[in-house]
Amino acid sequence: MKAEFRDDQYQLSYPDGVENHWWHLARNRLLTQQIRQLSKQQASVLDVGCGRGVTVKYLRNQAIDCIGVEPAEAKPFKDIEQYIFTGKKAEDLSKAERDRYSLLLLLDVVEHIANPDIFLKDLIALFPNVTHVIVTVPACPELWSNYDEFYGHYRRYTLNMIEDLSHQLNWHLMWNFYFFQLPYLPARLIIKLGQKRTVEMQAPIGISKKIHQFISYAVTMGNYSRFLGLPGTSISACFSLHKN
């Protein structure tokens, strides 16, 4: 895995209040639906590479038992410090802690890894009770930009690439689809025009919070166009593990 985010990358990606950005709101809403779809009982969830805890905070507010682990010395968001292990990798967690999880989240993590099959096999070996892994990744190689280069991405994924990864891992692929269809065309236009993407995530303040909330619902509704086979800027995949 590439080196952890630099301080400037954290400041640009995770400013205070970024949890109110439409991108995080829409992705977290999708994740909540997926987690509840997987199990009738409450799962114990570990968010691997959780950053400052945007998703941990959201899921806990949805009464989902989610803990985060982050290898960098990130500063967790207020009120969730006790639910975030910072300055630790997953293998640094105690065996008792690792044993309690049944679901792992790797949210926009895998694209930072040169050999994801090796990384994921080694990771799962540490968690004997995990039955499912949910992964999100940036999608569509044609959207490659300065943003990917700045944040140290190895690749942007396609659905076929995720299918190939499932075969390499010998994991059952439960779902695999594009989401964030609405932002795809603007992102494609930026690339076509030779413009650069902003690498800074702006946290909404004041009335813009309401605007971002509205956009997040519009983007969420747009996700249903995946049934038409339309591309999106991200992919969501869920793997089921068959363990002896």
Side-chain angles (χ1 to χ4, degrees):
M1 189 172 178
K2 283 200 171 185
E4 294 82 20
F5 271 13
R6 304 186 308 266
D7 287 344
D8 63 323
Q9 291 172 320
Y10 266 110
Q11 292 168 7
L12 292 171
S13 294
Y14 299 110
D16 290 341
V18 75
E19 66 271 23
N20 297 309
H21 193 282
W22 68 263
W23 192 93
H24 286 293
L25 289 173
R27 191 185 69 169
N28 285 336
R29 190 178 299 118
L30 176 64
L31 285 167
T32 301
Q33 296 170 353
Q34 293 174 337
I35 290 170
R36 288 176 173 161
Q37 174 185 335
L38 284 176
S39 176
K40 294 180 181 179
Q41 298 180 344
Q42 195 69 279
S44 293
V45 182
L46 181 66
D47 185 0
V48 179
C50 67
R52 296 184 63 193
V54 174
T55 297
V56 173
K57 182 176 182 178
Y58 186 94
L59 293 180
R60 295 199 69 84
N61 286 339
Q62 300 299 315
I64 293 173
D65 177 24
C66 183
I67 302 293
V69 60
E70 170 57 47
E73 294 289 350
K75 181 182 179 182
F77 289 114
K78 186 179 178 181
D79 300 329
I80 61 166
E81 295 92 343
Q82 67 269 40
Y83 303 115
I84 305 285
F85 295 98
T86 60
K88 285 189 175 183
K89 296 181 180 179
E91 59 263 35
D92 298 326
L93 301 178
S94 69
K95 184 179 184 303
E97 182 68 25
R98 287 185 275 115
D99 284 353
R100 80 182 193 87
Y101 297 107
S102 58
L103 170 63
L104 296 187
L105 305 179
L106 290 105
L107 310 176
D108 291 82
V109 168
V110 174
E111 67 272 17
H112 297 275
I113 301 165
N115 299 298
D117 55 331
I118 296 173
F119 170 80
L120 290 170
K121 285 178 180 178
D122 290 345
L123 179 65
I124 288 303
L126 301 170
F127 294 88
N129 297 318
V130 164
T131 59
H132 295 87
V133 177
I134 293 178
V135 170
T136 63
V137 290
C140 299
E142 66 270 22
L143 297 182
W144 183 269
S145 71
N146 62 294
Y147 182 93
D148 299 283
E149 294 172 359
F150 181 82
Y151 285 107
H153 296 175
Y154 278 97
R155 59 189 66 85
R156 297 184 72 93
Y157 280 80
T158 65
L159 298 182
N160 286 340
M161 291 165 68
I162 296 295
E163 290 178 6
D164 289 343
L165 180 60
S166 72
H167 295 316
Q168 293 168 4
L169 294 166
N170 195 27
W171 295 354
H172 173 62
L173 188 57
M174 293 186 64
W175 67 70
N176 180 28
F177 60 83
Y178 292 112
F179 68 104
F180 287 168
Q181 280 82 359
L182 291 183
Y184 176 87
L185 285 179
R188 190 80 174 99
L189 183 60
I190 288 173
I191 303 302
K192 283 285 189 182
L193 295 176
Q195 298 180 1
K196 290 188 176 182
R197 282 184 57 184
T198 178
V199 296
E200 182 176 5
M201 183 78 82
Q202 295 280 355
I205 58 175
I207 190 64
S208 65
K209 289 183 181 179
K210 295 292 185 181
I211 297 172
H212 274 255
Q213 190 173 49
F214 174 80
I215 294 172
S216 76
Y217 280 109
V219 170
T220 298
M221 293 300 296
N223 290 340
Y224 289 104
S225 65
R226 68 177 183 266
F227 298 112
L228 301 176
L230 298 179
T233 61
S234 293
I235 287 174
S236 173
C238 180
F239 303 98
S240 175
L241 281 60
H242 301 290
K243 295 191 174 183
N244 295 328

